[in-house]
Amino acid sequence: MDKPSMPASAPAPAPAPPTPPIPLAALLSEPELGLRQLAGPSAEGDPPPVLHWVHTSEMADPFPYLLGGELLLSAGVLLKDPDVYVSRIVQAGAAALGFGLAPVYDTVPRGLVEACDRHGLPLLEVPPPTPFTAVARAVWRLMEQARHRELRRVTEAQQGLASAAARRDPVPAVLKQLASRLGGRAVLMARDGTELHTAGRAPGTGEALRRLTEVVTRAAPGAPSSASDAHAGVHLAAYALGGGQGLALGLATPSREPGDRTIAGVGVVLLSLLTAPRPGADAAGRDAALVRLLLGAAPADAARLLGADRWTVVRARGDAAAPFAAAALGAALGSALIDPDAGAGVGVGDRGGDGDGDGDVRILLPADREPAAQPGWTLGVSAPASLTDLRAADAQAARALHRAIAARTPVVRHREPGLTSLVPSEEAAAYARTLLAPLAGSPALTDTLRTWLSLHGNWDRTAAALAVHRNTVRQRIARCTQLLDADLSDPDVRMELWFALRQAV
C-alpha cells in the first residue's frame, strides 16, 4: 500500500486560511475510501468539524510542520506516547487525524483512540486498501467543489445586489438583498445610532450592533473602516460607508462563510454610492464643463462650471479589478471625477514595456479636500493646481505614488520646493535645460535619476518604485554618469541635479 511520508517544513502554526473548508462528514461519506471514525467529536456535531487541507507526516512530533485545519495522515511509524502525540497535534490546530492500518499496525492502538477522545480530536481509521494519496485527492476534489459553490453564491449575490441598486428605492432593496443572501439582518445606521433602514431578522442584536457601528463612525483619526464581534452566537460586522455622511452598514448573521466578506464589500460600495450626496445642479454643471472641455473650450471657462478653481490629482494603486473598487475609492475620497484605468504616469518615462502603472486609478479632487489613507490602496497626491496645469499635477501625483510604493507608505504628497523658489523660475528652467541636456532624449534615464536621487541612492527602493530590476537601475545611473560627465557620489553634484530635475516637471 502506498502511504508516502512527505514531512513539509513551515513556520510556527498560523490560523487556517479563509478558503472554503469541507465538513468532515463529507469526507466520511465517500464510499470508495472506506473511512471510519473511531473517536473524537461527531462529524455531525454542532459545530461540525471541518477540514481546510490534508497533510501526511511520519514525524514523531509534527507540530512544527502544521498550519492548522489539517487532516493529518500517519501510519504511526514513530508513534511512542499517544497522549503527547495527540496533544501536540491539537495544540497545532489540526482538525482531525487519519490513522492508516498496515504496514506498522494491524489495528488502531487503543491508547491513541483514548487520547483522541480525551483531547477532542476526531480520529479516522484508514483501511489497508486505501492509499493516503486517495484520501488527499478526495479532500482536494471536495474543496474544489466547495470553492465552485461559493464562487457561484458570491456571483449570484453580486448580480442580485446590482439589480437591487437599479430599482426605484435602491437603498432598502440593497439591504433586503444583503439580509437574504447572508441569512441575517442588514441595517443602515446614522452616526448617532439611528436605524435609517433595516431588513431581515436577528433577534436580540440591535443594541450590540449599534455599539459596534459606533466604532467605525466615530469622527476620530485612525478610526477603523470595519469592525466585527459576536453576540449570543450571532456574528456581527460593521462597515463605514464612504461619502462623508457618517453612515455605516451593520450586519448580524448566524454564520460566517468565506464569501460573506466579499458580498458585504459589494454592499458597502453600492450603499456608499447610493447615499453619497449628488446635488443635481452641481452634477449638471460638472457634466457640462466636461463636454465643453472636450469640444475645445478654454479651461478657464470650464472652471466656473466645475465649481472650483484649484484641483488636486490623486493617483491610486490597489485592487482596481475588484467590483466597483474605483467607484468605492472615489466615494470614500468624495469625488465622482474618476479615471478607473489611468495607465502609466504622465511624464514618468519608459518602463521597459512592462506596463507599469496600468490599472492605476486617477481621481480629481477640489483642492480644499484633503485625501486620507484608504485601506487596500496606496495614494500619490499632487500639489493644488489650476485646470490649465493638471497635466503637471498628474505627473506630480504619479511620482508621489512611486515614492509611496517604494517607501511602503499609504499616502505620499508632492512636496513643494523650498529654497528653489528663491531662484526666478525662468532662470531655474534655463539652468535645468542646460544641465540636463545630455538626458533630454531619454525620459527613462531622466525619471530613473530623479527617483534614485529622491530615494537617497537606494538601488532596491528605486527598482521597486520603477518596477524594474535593480541591475537596470544601476545600468541607467551609470549611463547618466557618462552622459552628464558628473560624479554622482558627490553631494554637491546630487544637489544641483536634484534642483534641475525639480524644475523639469
Side-chain angles (χ1 to χ4, degrees), residues 91-152:
Q91 186 180 354
L97 172 63
F99 195 85
L101 300 182
V104 182
Y105 292 91
D106 294 330
T107 61
V108 179
R110 181 63 189 169
L112 186 62
V113 175
E114 294 173 350
C116 287
D117 270 330
R118 188 160 49 250
H119 291 280
L121 180 70
L123 173 63
L124 311 184
E125 178 188 83
V126 183
T130 303
F132 284 175
T133 51
V135 178
R137 189 164 54 244
V139 170
W140 302 134
R141 176 172 50 80
L142 291 170
M143 288 184 68
E144 183 67 12
Q145 293 173 355
R147 187 178 73 86
H148 281 297
R149 287 194 300 270
E150 191 68 3
L151 286 174
R152 184 166 56 249

Side-chain angles (χ1 to χ4, degrees), residues 303-318:
R304 291 193 294 270
L305 293 174
L306 285 172
D309 295 326
R310 306 278 289 171
W311 296 86
T312 298
V313 178
V314 177
R315 281 266 182 169
R317 189 170 301 180

Side-chain angles (χ1 to χ4, degrees), residues 310 313 385-394:
R310 306 278 289 171
V313 178
S386 66
L387 279 180
T388 57
D389 295 326
L390 286 184
R391 181 176 178 83
D394 186 32

Side-chain angles (χ1 to χ4, degrees), residues 157-474:
Q158 290 175 335
Q159 293 171 347
L161 288 167
S163 298
R167 293 179 185 172
R168 184 182 298 274
D169 199 1
V171 171
V174 168
L175 291 172
K176 185 176 180 180
Q177 274 289 319
L178 283 171
S180 173
R181 299 290 180 175
L182 300 177
R185 183 170 182 251
V187 186
L188 178 65
M189 286 191 176
R191 179 172 286 150
D192 62 1
T194 303
E195 294 187 0
L196 303 178
H197 297 282
T198 183
R201 289 179 54 80
T205 60
E207 181 60 23
L209 195 57
R210 185 189 66 78
R211 289 196 301 268
L212 189 63
T213 55
E214 289 178 351
V215 175
V216 301
T217 57
R218 63 183 180 217
S225 60
S226 64
S228 60
D229 199 358
H231 177 76
V234 177
H235 296 279
L236 306 179
Y239 303 89
L241 301 186
Q245 304 302 297
L247 303 179
L249 168 65
L251 298 172
T253 57
S255 62
R256 187 171 291 166
E257 301 299 328
D260 287 354
R261 186 172 180 84
T262 301
I263 295 173
V266 174
V268 168
V269 170
L270 290 174
L271 291 171
S272 295
L273 296 172
L274 293 170
T275 58
R278 287 187 297 275
D282 289 351
R286 182 198 71 210
D287 294 344
L290 296 178
V291 170
R292 292 191 184 187
L293 286 173
L294 288 172
L295 295 177
D301 296 334
R304 291 193 294 270
L305 293 174
L306 285 172
D309 295 326
R310 306 278 289 171
W311 296 86
T312 298
V313 178
V314 177
R315 281 266 182 169
R317 189 170 301 180
D319 189 9
F324 309 107
L329 178 62
L333 296 178
S335 175
L337 299 173
I338 306 165
D339 179 4
D341 188 3
V346 176
V348 172
D350 178 32
R351 298 282 179 238
D354 59 2
D356 174 69
D358 291 345
D360 287 359
V361 175
R362 182 166 48 190
I363 298 174
L364 197 59
L365 293 177
D368 59 354
R369 295 183 187 172
E370 181 68 15
Q374 301 296 322
W377 293 92
T378 302
L379 306 182
V381 184
S382 76
S386 66
L387 279 180
T388 57
D389 295 326
L390 286 184
R391 181 176 178 83
D394 186 32
Q396 294 174 356
R399 289 196 293 272
L401 176 59
H402 289 152
R403 290 199 299 270
I405 293 171
R408 296 178 175 86
T409 302
V411 181
V412 166
R413 292 166 176 80
H414 174 75
R415 295 185 295 272
E416 290 290 354
L419 293 175
T420 57
S421 61
L422 299 177
V423 181
S425 58
E426 295 81 3
E427 294 181 16
Y431 174 79
R433 286 193 297 272
T434 301
L435 186 61
L436 299 175
L439 307 182
S442 179
L445 292 181
T446 302
D447 188 53
T448 301
L449 180 59
R450 178 188 290 112
T451 305
W452 182 73
L453 289 173
S454 72
L455 295 173
H456 311 292
N458 187 293
W459 305 107
D460 292 326
R461 291 174 61 192
T462 303
L466 298 175
V468 298
H469 195 276
R470 68 195 306 269
N471 288 342
T472 301
V473 176
R474 288 183 178 275

